[in-house]
Amino acid sequence: MPLSEHEQRMLEQMERALYAEDPKFASALEGNGLRTYTRRRVYQAVAGFLVGIALLMAGMVAQLIWISVVGFLVMLGCAVLAVTGWRKAPKPGEQPPGARPVRPKRSVMDRIEQRWQRRRDEQGH
């Protein structure tokens, strides 16, 4: 059931008030995408890989095999995370696979309403 014009105006006023009161939170609701998350995940994996190398070398110098094994496992895990994160990252101007085309400059309330309608349609109402 679509919103009446009065309800839409009220939602738009609430959205403007949200942007005025807390623009950081409002922009977080918009979400700038999967790309930033995956890039951050790849950087963390690279840092973890370097820590794994350090553990591996420290284990070799201290002649403690278990530290070297832990370092190798950390390197292996971080390499897997980096590769999978890099493959999932969409290219600039490209949408993630399976994503629907998005209208530019949609309001938060428009997206919430669209999601609500999609859920209702999926449930068969």
Side-chain angles (χ1 to χ4, degrees):
M1 177 178 195
L3 297 175
S4 69
E5 286 188 32
H6 174 70
E7 291 170 329
Q8 288 178 354
R9 281 194 307 268
M10 294 295 291
L11 287 174
E12 288 172 4
Q13 287 175 357
M14 290 169 56
E15 181 182 350
R16 282 193 296 269
L18 175 64
Y19 274 104
E21 290 175 20
D22 195 354
K24 186 176 178 180
F25 177 69
S27 63
L29 285 178
E30 287 180 353
N32 64 358
L34 178 65
R35 188 159 202 262
T36 303
Y37 169 75
T38 53
R39 183 181 301 147
R40 186 178 315 128
R41 184 173 145 189
V42 168
Y43 290 150
Q44 290 171 347
V46 168
F49 188 84
L50 295 175
V51 169
I53 290 175
L55 285 172
L56 181 73
M57 299 303 271
M60 297 299 276
V61 169
Q63 294 183 353
L64 296 171
I65 300 299
W66 68 272
I67 292 177
S68 295
V69 170
V70 168
F72 176 75
L73 293 175
V74 168
M75 288 170 50
L76 183 64
C78 289
V80 169
L81 283 177
V83 169
T84 58
W86 193 262
R87 286 182 182 167
K88 289 180 182 178
K91 304 289 184 257
E94 177 183 85
Q95 290 194 355
R100 295 180 181 205
V102 179
R103 275 189 347 218
K105 300 281 184 178
R106 287 191 323 182
S107 69
V108 174
M109 297 312 295
D110 286 341
R111 286 193 307 276
I112 291 171
E113 184 179 347
Q114 183 182 19
R115 288 180 190 149
W116 178 259
Q117 288 295 337
R118 197 174 336 146
R119 286 185 191 134
R120 288 182 54 86
D121 292 343
E122 289 172 359
Q123 292 176 354
H125 287 100

